Amino acid sequence: MAPAIDTLLFDFGGTLDADGVAWKERFHALYRGEGLDMTAEAFAPAFFAADDPLVDALPATAGLAETVHTLAANLEAELGCLARTAKERTDGDRGRRVASHFLSDMSTIFARNRPVLETLGERYRLGVVSNFYGNLEAVCRSSGLAPLFAVMTDSRRVGAEKPDPAIFRAALEALNAAPETTLFIGDSLRRDCEGARRAAMGFIWIAPEDVQAAAAQATGPRSVPAAVTKLPDLLKVLK
């Protein structure tokens, strides 16, 4: 008989703040809504060029709003370099609108997920493990989620990024938890699922139905990990 699960570790972006959709895809959708005519493939390099400089550049005290607005400002600068018209280059309000919509969407998800996490916290030790900028704790505090987690493990603080098992071991050690009695919940198969596998933990995937179906078609249903489409579904899975 498998040992009983007593610890749940969560990814942050795409898992606690959305239903299995990463920041890059959500920013792209918002920019498309603002009229940006750019494919996801063309948008990705601009996003990473805006995102990467935030690592170690944001102060450890930077909350969620500061983080998102700084990312949006960086992204505006990158997109400005690629703009085809003067209007696209000079629309300074676009980034602020995108950041505000992004934060509003997150706030809605946090409000829905908070009572779910509170319920799970009555039965399990909870923690966060995220590839982040060095300010994960401040972001969790400003999101109102920090009191729910016994540990918030930031890749920049640990010096290891998912899927490196070292970042998972850091969280497990802080919680005095064993990998065989821990589940990791995340939205990325490459970082979260593979990282959990390397750390000998179980895994639950949060992803939209079409993404799960595509993965099953590509690899076979038996290769797809246990999955839900939104965090509240964990209450049905973890009975």
Side-chain angles (χ1 to χ4, degrees):
M1 180 180 295
I5 298 299
D6 58 23
T7 305
L8 303 178
L9 298 177
F10 296 84
D11 172 50
F12 185 83
T15 300
L16 293 176
D17 65 354
D19 294 329
V21 183
W23 282 27
K24 173 168 63 68
E25 285 72 24
R26 284 146 58 197
F27 265 96
H28 181 242
L30 289 170
Y31 268 98
R32 292 278 292 180
E34 287 283 339
L36 180 70
D37 183 15
M38 181 178 284
T39 65
E41 292 74 19
F43 182 82
F47 179 85
F48 291 127
D51 183 69
D52 290 347
L54 297 186
V55 176
D56 288 333
L58 286 167
T61 55
L64 183 61
E66 182 179 350
T67 300
V68 170
H69 277 283
T70 303
L71 176 56
N74 284 4
L75 188 49
E76 275 297 310
E78 293 297 328
L79 294 173
C81 294
L82 302 174
R84 294 168 295 182
T85 68
K87 182 179 184 302
E88 289 178 341
R89 288 193 296 270
T90 58
D91 185 5
D93 289 335
R94 182 178 63 176
R96 287 186 286 273
R97 291 195 300 270
V98 166
S100 294
H101 288 151
F102 191 86
L103 289 164
S104 177
D105 291 343
M106 293 174 94
S107 180
T108 299
I109 295 296
F110 289 144
R112 184 201 67 186
N113 287 347
R114 193 172 293 109
V116 176
L117 293 167
E118 289 172 348
T119 298
L120 292 172
E122 295 173 357
R123 299 164 52 194
Y124 306 98
R125 291 174 290 188
L126 305 184
V128 182
V129 177
S130 179
N131 290 352
F132 218 71
Y133 307 113
N135 63 326
L136 178 63
E137 289 192 27
V139 165
C140 288
R141 284 195 301 270
S142 63
S143 304
L145 299 181
L148 303 175
F149 298 110
V151 64
M152 289 157 277
T153 308
D154 186 318
S155 59
R156 297 309 299 170
R157 299 296 179 185
V158 173
E161 293 186 347
K162 297 178 294 182
D164 188 333
I167 187 172
F168 298 95
R169 287 197 293 267
L172 292 172
E173 290 171 6
L175 290 169
N176 194 28
E180 60 269 21
T181 60
T182 301
L183 288 176
F184 191 77
I185 298 97
D187 66 296
S188 170
L189 294 181
R190 181 176 64 86
R191 293 183 297 273
D192 299 329
C193 182
E194 176 61 14
R197 183 192 68 78
R198 293 185 191 181
M201 296 187 303
F203 178 72
I204 297 178
W205 188 25
I206 292 185
E209 288 184 357
D210 61 330
V211 175
Q212 294 182 32
Q217 185 174 16
T219 63
R222 291 186 180 181
S223 299
V224 176
V228 295
T229 59
K230 54 185 182 296
L231 192 137
D233 291 341
L234 291 176
L235 296 177
K236 303 174 185 177
V237 174
L238 301 171
K239 296 182 179 179

